[in-house]
Amino acid sequence: MSKIEDIILSDSKLGENVKYIYEIEGKEGEYEPFPENLSDEIVEVLRSRGIKNLYSHQAKAWKLAQQGKNFTVVTPTASGKTLCYNLPVLQKILEKPASKAIYIFPTKALSQDQMNELHALITLLEKDIKVFTFDGDTPQSARKAIRKQGQVVVTNPDMLHQGILPHHSKWMQFFQNLEYVIIDEVHTYRGVFGSHMTNLLRRLKRVCKFYRSEPLFIFSSATIANPKIHSEKLLEEPVKIIDQSGAPVSPKKVIFYNPPVVNKELGIRASYINQARRLSRKLIANGIQTIIFALSRLNVEVLTKYLKDIFESDRESMSEKEKIAGYRGGYLPNRRRDIEKGLRKGHIKGVISTNALELGIDIGSLDAAVLAGYPGTVSSTWQQIGRAGRTGKEALGIYIARSRPIDQFLISNPEYFFSRSPEHARINPDNLMILVDHVKCASFEIPFDEGDSFGEVKPDNLQEILKFLQEGGILHKSGGRFYWAEDVYPAANVSLRRIPEGNFVVVDTSKDNKIVGEVDYSSAAMTIYPDAIYMASGKEYIVDKLDWDGRKAYVRETDSDYYTDAIDYTNVKVLSEDEKRQSGNIEIYQGEVQVVTRVIGFKKIKFYTNENVGYGKINLPDLEMATSSYWFTIPEFVVETLPYKRGDIIDGILGISKALHSIAAIKIMSERHDIHRAVGDKTSEWFAMNKITERGIYTPPTSDSPSKKINPEDLENFQPTIFIYDNYPGGIGFTPLLFDSHEELLEEASKMLTSCECENGCPSCVGPSKEVGQNSKQVAIAILNLLTSEKVRNQDKSEHPFDAQKQYLN
């Protein structure tokens, strides 16, 4: 038994909640000698850093680069992927000093980290190779020098999109000599971000063609199920795959931990956040440097406060080195650099992070990784667990399950997780909204000619888009060529990450209007509404004012004993029925829907006890999108068959929607927030609460009341319809799979509910009975039994169903 593992198992209160231990055996590395055509100077530098050979995957990467073939390296965390692209780039620059390379990382933090690694190699080479970071923080005074002198430019997709391609004429010399394009963490380019990325690469290749350069593309990625297909869909060219790692593997234990049940009748488990605090406290107190991954920025701040209260209560001044730190988006760059440095040097013993530290930022060697909740994908789970044990010594990973169905499914079926291949990365680059935006950007950069194509977009389809833009006055056609006709360059109004332009800054009015953080647009309504408790680095601030148009939140420091959590609801309206099929007597659809989300209020939740100590109202603009959805209506004969009141039946259908949402996320092997759910009325605009705070179906808010119950007589006309929709504008391609898998989804949802040990509902199935109704679980199971029974599927619509179906109600 390892020392780290024993710290948990020897504690009876913690050890009894360990449900499964998975052991990863250590593995020796597979090595190959340095290639004969690798520069002697580079070999000497590598040996000075203690590298005597290359890992087998690094040697294979070198061979493919020398053959001029695009490739993707798909190996685990800390397997030396960086050398796979640094070696060919440095070799090319040594051979041909005019050569250029561009490194593209998904975040500015990762760009900065990787640039430091490249600088270290160049310093040892003692060569004057110019490496620069070019991002939003780069001073205007330095940009001209970078364009002229930079041999390696390190940037991110957003800056390539808005700061480089639209101004390519200023980069003429760079693009004329561009030899390599390096794209790291390619597994993050999925969903809408990945769809934008394909279009961005279409534009990049178009500019390179204009300057008569043909760069080699090198991708690196964490393990995903479809690396070749995904890379080739991003690049739209053949890509070779290197997926066998030669790096040594550290021995590791992975613990599946399920918080204890504290209310058996309601199926309520102890707070997973509090369990994360207890486990982390135990590890850190025993000198185990630990990273805790939380699922939201709010949870990061709550856990940071808890652990700072424990380990820094005697910290007398800010000059003393901190032991605990939070890490998330919204922290200022200097603050993040200080935390990374503190982790590498070892004086920070515990860091609480969102998935911001899941990527390959160098934070040194860590002994343990604690995951407070399932990250949403198998790939992300392994990435986070992989942050521990980076130096070859034994490490520990702990996954703490929430009460949610997907977590409880995994904790009850650990073999399912450990035998599961990582997720597919899915993108839809020809999503019309995304495609049109990038055609605009490409038109500004280089005019389109008649007959041109754009990546794999056929000329005829492209011509339709160009003519549409011409009719709108956005493009001007002259001599068979389409020119940009507006004053403002389009990239300024196109976000690659579906967030409208303009983050919110958080201003501390009690400290001379000092900026203490940033909040992205999509999170603002849920985070910095008036009277919210905004948390940063374990400190609490109360929001006095939110200037929505000015993108500023004015806060002051406070000593609050509670935090706030927003409540929202969603309204879904069918725009078009694109496909329809029968499953017995059920009609199943997929098509376009309009989704409107409104944040209506917030709860005040006490620290440590999680008591709800009050509510508040929120009045902010709605968030709207058009997307794709799969949906079906519960047949009227099923509703008539059930011996329950209409209100109870609606409660059961809400429970089914929750179970289907969880099963669907597992089915498509994607993150749960990539899809969403709602229950509506087939015949009218309707919606269901995403966060159900009291029992019942609600009507859209009025000027007098944010929400109200439906009248009992209205329920008689309600035709309950369950929607599972892509949670991205325009859709991203998940719903066709769900549409085709309808029967399987119902079967698995039925198994989930019937196998749950609670009596009337709990967070692990349909939700707590006090929130979703006393009969919700029984009704949900009864409906699913009816929908999945062969007799119902084969039932003639002209027959009355009661006699044929009542036997299934038990």
Side-chain angles (χ1 to χ4, degrees):
M1 185 181 295
S2 70
K3 178 185 175 183
I4 304 179
E5 182 186 3
D6 191 36
I7 292 171
I8 304 300
L9 297 182
S10 62
D11 186 310
S12 59
K13 290 185 178 180
L14 298 176
E16 64 184 7
N17 301 316
V18 173
K19 302 303 178 186
Y20 191 82
I21 301 176
Y22 182 79
E23 185 170 354
I24 300 172
E25 295 183 0
K27 187 193 82 168
E28 295 292 327
E30 297 177 15
Y31 302 94
E32 290 191 21
F34 293 118
E36 291 183 2
N37 55 347
L38 178 60
S39 163
D40 291 339
E41 294 170 290
I42 295 176
V43 170
E44 185 179 338
V45 165
L46 294 176
R47 284 179 173 151
S48 71
R49 303 185 76 186
I51 301 173
K52 299 178 181 178
N53 296 284
L54 295 182
Y55 296 139
S56 57
H57 64 275
Q58 294 170 336
K60 187 173 182 180
W62 172 264
K63 291 174 185 174
L64 289 174
Q66 299 312 299
Q67 293 167 8
K69 294 180 179 178
N70 305 317
F71 65 87
T72 299
V73 183
V74 189
T75 54
T77 306
S79 58
K81 289 192 286 282
T82 305
L83 275 185
C84 292
Y85 48 78
N86 277 345
L87 292 185
V89 167
L90 291 175
Q91 176 90 356
K92 178 63 73 173
I93 293 174
L94 290 178
E95 293 173 349
K96 182 183 171 186
S99 300
K100 311 289 185 181
I102 187 167
Y103 284 40
I104 303 170
F105 297 95
T107 66
K108 287 194 292 185
L110 193 55
S111 299
Q112 192 70 36
D113 181 75
Q114 293 296 317
M115 194 188 77
N116 292 337
E117 169 65 20
L118 187 55
H119 263 308
L121 281 174
I122 292 170
T123 300
L124 291 172
L125 271 174
E126 297 181 350
K127 298 289 183 180
D128 186 23
I129 298 175
K130 302 286 195 308
V131 181
F132 298 107
T133 299
F134 193 84
D135 58 28
D137 297 330
T138 304
Q140 290 291 335
S141 58
R143 296 188 178 193
K144 184 176 180 180
I146 293 172
R147 291 193 293 265
K148 296 290 185 185
Q149 301 174 26
Q151 291 167 284
V152 179
V153 172
V154 181
T155 189
N156 55 65
D158 310 272
M159 199 62 184
L160 179 64
H161 162 59
Q162 294 184 335
I164 297 178
L165 292 181
H167 312 291
H168 62 82
S169 59
K170 296 180 179 179
W171 293 79
M172 181 176 65
Q173 183 183 353
F174 185 87
F175 281 116
Q176 286 175 336
N177 294 282
L178 185 60
E179 299 279 356
Y180 283 102
V181 178
I182 311 301
I183 303 178
D184 196 18
E185 307 289 355
V186 74
H187 63 282
T188 64
Y189 299 112
R190 58 206 302 167
V192 71
F193 190 25
S195 302
H196 276 294
M197 191 63 182
T198 294
N199 282 285
L200 185 62
L201 293 180
R202 288 169 173 172
R203 290 163 51 200
L204 173 61
K205 290 194 294 180
R206 194 165 175 260
V207 168
C208 288
K209 184 178 179 181
F210 182 79
Y211 290 106
R212 299 180 181 179
S213 63
E214 295 183 19
L216 186 72
F217 286 80
I218 300 177
F219 299 103
S220 74
S221 174
T223 304
I224 53 176
N226 60 335
K228 182 174 177 63
I229 293 172
H230 182 54
S231 300
E232 291 182 340
K233 194 152 189 179
L234 282 170
L235 187 60
E236 298 179 319
E237 292 181 21
V239 178
K240 295 287 185 180
I241 294 297
I242 302 171
D243 57 5
Q244 297 298 315
S245 174
V249 176
S250 302
K252 187 176 296 178
K253 299 285 197 317
V254 180
I255 287 176
F256 270 33
Y257 181 98
N258 206 13
V261 175
V262 293
N263 187 321
K264 192 170 184 179
E265 181 183 347
L266 298 177
I268 304 295
R269 293 185 177 274
S271 163
Y272 74 100
I273 293 296
N274 283 335
Q275 295 298 301
R277 170 174 61 90
R278 291 179 180 177
L279 288 162
S280 303
R281 176 181 185 175
K282 194 81 174 175
L283 292 169
I284 295 169
N286 279 273
I288 306 300
Q289 194 178 25
T290 303
I291 183 169
I292 304 102
F293 284 101
L295 298 175
S296 69
R297 295 179 177 187
L298 175 61
N299 287 345
V300 165
E301 295 301 340
V302 170
L303 278 168
T304 301
K305 173 181 169 54
Y306 288 171
L307 293 174
K308 278 184 175 289
D309 286 350
I310 296 167
F311 292 104
E312 295 185 5
S313 58
D314 57 349
R315 189 178 174 202
E316 295 181 358
S317 69
M318 295 300 292
S319 61
E320 289 186 42
K321 291 180 179 179
E322 61 181 336
K323 300 176 184 176
I324 304 296
Y327 190 103
R328 60 171 177 79
Y331 282 12
L332 300 178
N334 288 341
R335 172 62 180 153
R336 292 199 298 269
R337 298 295 86 74
D338 288 343
I339 295 168
E340 293 160 16
K341 185 178 178 181
L343 285 166
R344 288 193 295 269
K345 291 195 170 182
H347 66 74
I348 292 180
K349 299 300 181 184
V351 62
I352 306 91
S353 176
T354 57
N355 60 2
L357 282 179
E358 178 183 312
L359 302 180
I361 296 171
D362 181 14
I363 53 175
S365 60
L366 298 171
D367 303 310
V370 177
L371 281 59
Y374 182 55
T377 67
V378 174
S379 177
S380 287
T381 304
W382 283 118
Q383 279 282 99
Q384 293 181 9
I385 290 172
R387 295 308 308 220
R390 294 170 68 91
T391 55
K393 59 183 180 180
E394 194 165 88
L396 179 68
I398 304 176
Y399 159 53
I400 305 170
R402 297 170 296 172
S403 293
R404 294 189 176 183
I406 191 168
D407 288 68
Q408 289 303 308
F409 175 84
L410 293 173
I411 209 79
S412 301
N413 302 275
E415 297 86 356
Y416 176 91
F417 173 84
F418 289 107
S419 64
R420 194 74 164 172
S421 65
E423 292 76 11
H424 290 73
R426 289 185 172 87
I427 57 175
N428 180 17
D430 296 333
N431 172 299
L432 193 58
M433 292 176 64
I434 294 173
L435 178 59
V436 169
D437 278 342
H438 284 277
V439 169
K440 289 180 185 177
C441 296
S443 300
F444 174 86
E445 290 153 7
I446 302 171
F448 278 104
D449 290 323
E450 288 182 339
D452 275 358
S453 58
F454 185 57
E456 293 186 351
V457 180
K458 294 179 180 178
D460 289 347
N461 295 335
L462 177 62
Q463 290 302 308
E464 286 185 28
I465 295 173
L466 294 172
K467 288 176 182 177
F468 168 76
L469 295 175
Q470 179 191 0
E471 291 168 1
I474 296 171
L475 298 182
H476 169 68
K477 187 178 180 182
S478 176
R481 179 169 287 188
F482 293 87
Y483 295 90
W484 183 252
E486 294 199 334
D487 295 332
V488 181
Y489 78 99
N493 298 314
V494 177
S495 169
L496 302 184
R497 305 174 195 252
R498 82 180 176 97
I499 302 167
E501 189 67 24
N503 284 355
F504 287 74
V505 294
V506 183
V507 180
D508 183 1
T509 56
S510 62
K511 296 280 180 67
D512 296 325
N513 290 333
K514 177 183 177 183
I515 295 175
V516 293
E518 286 185 321
V519 177
D520 60 70
Y521 178 90
S522 62
S523 300
M526 303 287 289
T527 308
I528 49 175
Y529 43 85
D531 295 328
I533 298 297
Y534 174 76
M535 302 178 68
S537 299
K539 295 180 180 179
E540 299 101 50
Y541 302 85
I542 188 165
V543 179
D544 291 321
K545 178 185 175 183
L546 175 61
D547 179 359
W548 187 268
D549 294 330
R551 301 292 192 261
K552 289 183 180 179
Y554 297 94
V555 304
R556 54 187 162 83
E557 197 168 336
T558 186
D559 186 17
S560 173
D561 63 350
Y562 68 89
Y563 61 93
T564 52
D565 191 17
I567 304 166
D568 65 343
Y569 71 76
T570 297
N571 176 25
V572 179
K573 178 184 178 182
V574 175
L575 298 177
S576 67
E577 297 174 354
D578 298 338
E579 195 170 356
K580 171 184 173 183
R581 70 180 177 90
Q582 290 286 135
S583 177
N585 277 332
I586 305 173
E587 293 180 339
I588 307 155
Y589 299 87
Q590 71 164 332
E592 298 298 311
V593 297
Q594 181 184 30
V595 179
V596 180
T597 301
R598 177 173 296 181
V599 183
I600 60 171
F602 62 91
K603 297 179 287 185
K604 299 177 180 179
I605 302 171
K606 200 162 187 177
F607 285 119
Y608 296 103
T609 65
N610 291 325
E611 295 175 79
N612 192 334
V613 294
Y615 290 92
K617 291 183 179 180
I618 300 174
N619 183 21
L620 292 173
D622 294 340
L623 303 175
E624 299 186 22
M625 70 173 173
T627 187
S628 58
S629 179
Y630 134 79
W631 70 89
F632 64 96
T633 300
I634 308 297
E636 183 62 26
F637 68 76
V638 171
V639 176
E640 290 178 353
T641 299
L642 299 169
Y644 297 103
K645 296 177 181 178
R646 278 274 177 151
D648 289 333
I649 292 172
I650 300 302
D651 288 341
I653 292 169
L654 287 169
I656 290 173
S657 75
K658 180 176 182 179
L660 280 176
H661 186 184
S662 297
I663 294 298
I666 296 173
K667 173 65 181 175
I668 63 176
M669 298 186 74
S670 188
E671 298 184 29
R672 194 170 183 270
H673 64 74
D674 283 342
I675 56 175
H676 224 310
R677 72 181 189 273
V679 174
D681 184 4
K682 180 181 180 181
T683 60
S684 66
E685 297 183 23
W686 216 260
F687 68 90
M689 293 290 285
N690 288 337
K691 295 183 179 179
I692 301 170
T693 55
E694 58 177 298
R695 185 181 170 192
I697 300 295
Y698 296 75
T699 60
T702 65
S703 58
D704 301 322
S705 172
S707 61
K708 61 182 180 180
K709 290 281 190 77
I710 292 175
N711 293 326
E713 57 267 25
D714 291 338
L715 288 177
E716 298 303 318
N717 301 317
F718 185 72
Q719 297 186 41
T721 303
I722 295 177
F723 296 87
I724 306 290
Y725 58 87
D726 286 11
N727 200 22
Y728 296 105
I732 213 63
F734 294 127
T735 53
L737 177 59
L738 300 179
F739 175 80
D740 293 337
S741 306
H742 170 78
E743 291 80 7
E744 182 184 345
L745 295 175
L746 293 185
E747 294 280 0
E748 291 297 327
S750 180
K751 289 178 186 177
M752 173 187 283
L753 300 190
T754 53
S755 63
C756 187
E757 296 178 358
C758 71
E759 185 176 345
N760 296 315
C762 71
S764 301
C765 55
V766 298
S769 59
K770 286 187 177 181
E771 292 184 5
V772 300
Q774 191 69 21
N775 296 321
S776 177
K777 181 178 180 180
Q778 286 81 359
V779 175
I781 291 173
I783 293 173
L784 287 170
N785 282 343
L786 287 167
L787 296 180
T788 56
S789 69
E790 287 300 320
K791 290 187 178 180
V792 171
R793 290 180 182 175
N794 299 325
Q795 179 73 30
D796 189 297
K797 287 184 179 181
S798 62
E799 299 177 19
H800 193 281
F802 183 80
D803 291 334
Q805 298 163 0
K806 63 183 179 182
Q807 59 181 301
Y808 296 101
L809 296 179
N810 297 320

